[in-house]
Amino acid sequence: MARMIRPPAILTRALPLLFVLAVLAVAWLGGAVWLNAPQIIDRWQRDGKTDYSTGELVTAAWSQERPLLPAPQQIYADLAKSFSGRLDSPRNLLFHTWVTGSAMASGFGLGVLLGGILALGIVHVRTLEKSLMPWVIASQTVPILAIAPMIVVVLGNIGLTGLLPKAVIAMYLCFFPITIGLVKGLRSPDPLQLDLMRTYSASPIQLFWKLRWPAAMPFLFTSLKVAISIALVGAIVGELPTGAQAGLGARLLAGSYYGQTIQIWSALVVSAVLGMGLVGLIGLVERITLRYQAVPKAAGGRG
Amino acid sequence: MNKQLYLYLPIFVIGLGLYQVFLRNEPFTQLPAVGLIAAFIFSTVTVMNIIVRNPRLEARYGIIVPALFGLTILYVWEVAVRGFGVPKVLLPAPSAIGLALVVQAPVLWADFQQTVLKSVIAGYLLGNGAAFIIALLVDRSPFLQRGLLPLGNLVSAIPIVGIAPIMVMWFGFDWPSKAAVIVVMTFFPMLISTLAGLQGTDRMQRDLMRSYGAHYGQTLLALRLPVAAPMIFNALKLNATLALIGAIVAEFFGTPIVGMGFRISTEVARMNVDVVWATIAVASVVGSVAYGTITLIERRVTFWHPSFRKAPR
């Protein structure tokens, strides 16, 4: 049997991805024409313009001012225009990204702190584990986001507005995965390893720093990635109910009120890029942290 | 015998504390009241400790421990709200929320019908069903798999709820737009989990199926879908919560005058915070019941899985 010629790795990995992306792009462009054309034909007929070529229709569909589905190049143009503005002006999306991002980051920080403390308590105090853990798990089944508007109102009543309510929402959303991941991770050393530490007569603190904490790292990073994207969702949704003036969520809401489709899509694209960037950042920190640590990479598993 | 005595006293104190909450409406700033509150908390912790430390008690009454914890939280909440005279707008007492649940029951029922029975169920079935079928199709093509998997992982980092305003624009104010948001939100977790689950068989197992002369469909039904089932159920559970969130958030962007998200946003604006809390309570119960139902089905379907087998006694 002749040996198969193996294509280079970059081709086998990149080609399928490129293919899928190309299909998506074609579907998007086609969808834009399909969705926007009826409106344009309607308008043209009212204006008495009856003969037009397909090319004309397609160009018009891709450059409509308030399209049902804007073409990618329109979003790109809108983004480019927005980024060229002054950094502190509300016309610049980077300004809104900063507003949402700072709320997300402070909420994430608080969430890591709270999640870590809870996890330490659950791992070390048996009563706390038995009483608290079922609630932590049950809370995962609750649509916590529904609480967001109320937190904003409640904190607004005590005079706290702006960044803090959003950070609290982000924190509230993201500390559960951290708690669960960290509890799982701190529990992951098997009895053999624990026994070994005992034969070394390691103190509880040594046991923690030399065995439990390193063992928890892969689990921690897996849950940090989940947590940071949830924190972003929390910060965005936290801007919805209050009529906030700045932030990606506020842009979404304003765009939906005034029918500015392109504005909605630009805000969506930016938040998507922000989310992917943040998860990528955590992945980078993970790789640097775990470089010298010979632990299996795969973590998580059944929730 | 002696040990049981330890239990009776704290339980008596807990009863006393509950009596104080439900029958006396006085704000208690006096010392006896503070003492009773401290005794209540101390008693619940004692009972929890006794149960947790004793394996025989824990096997029988283990479920009491989280229940007691929840009771303590509710008690402290109620007592603190009354004792400090916290304004209702800030934080209503659990009893006020319970009252709102009863008084507003017809409104809450209508919201439940609109949000859960129409949007969530339609979107959930469509989203998961479509993702499952597409996963089965994509599974046959390694090329498409390699293209879709990295993309799906990227999508998990995106705040998808953001598409809610677009869906409202496309599908109108009523439930179809909410269902559409849910379809998009639930699609990718299900697709990724099903694809990963279908790849979960090892070579030996596949070879065995082949040596039985099983064709594609038989291998799928007898080996690969059962192996994938735990991951598929994980996605179903995750999606149950996601679907509720999607429907509620999409209703923030426009809705007919009914629905849980609509109720939350309007009652917050009108400062009827107890109704908001009542709606959240309903949403929590719906989320938990959905999660529990799926877990029950999972146990029936994947009874063979190690995590559901009973530990040998």
Side-chain angles (χ1 to χ4, degrees), chain A residues 89-157:
Chain A
S89 90
R91 285 183 170 278
N92 194 329
L93 261 178
L94 285 179
F95 166 76
H96 296 283
T97 311
W98 166 253
V99 170
T100 303
S102 53
M104 186 274 319
S106 17
F108 180 66
L110 289 174
V112 170
L113 206 66
L114 184 60
I117 292 172
L118 272 183
L120 286 185
I122 286 175
V123 168
H124 287 109
V125 184
R126 208 170 128 70
T127 308
L128 211 54
E129 178 205 345
K130 290 288 165 191
S131 55
L132 194 58
M133 203 57 183
W135 289 105
V136 171
I137 291 170
S139 67
Q140 296 251 309
T141 69
V142 172
I144 305 168
L145 225 52
I147 300 181
M150 207 173 42
I151 294 180
V152 173
V153 166
V154 166
L155 291 181
N157 264 302

Side-chain angles (χ1 to χ4, degrees), chain B residues 297-309:
Chain B
I297 299 174
E298 182 184 15
R299 279 189 195 195
R300 281 286 171 79
V301 176
T302 64
F303 55 88
W304 43 267
H305 195 273
S307 55
F308 296 129
R309 268 186 247 145

Side-chain angles (χ1 to χ4, degrees), chain B residues 13 50 66 90 104 110 121 151-152 178 184 201 203 215 228-229 238 248-249 255 293 299:
Chain B
V13 177
I50 291 174
L90 225 54
Q104 301 283 342
I121 291 189
L151 211 64
K178 282 74 197 172
V184 180
T201 51
R203 202 186 183 90
H215 55 71
L238 175 74
I248 288 173
V249 172
T255 177
T293 313
R299 279 189 195 195

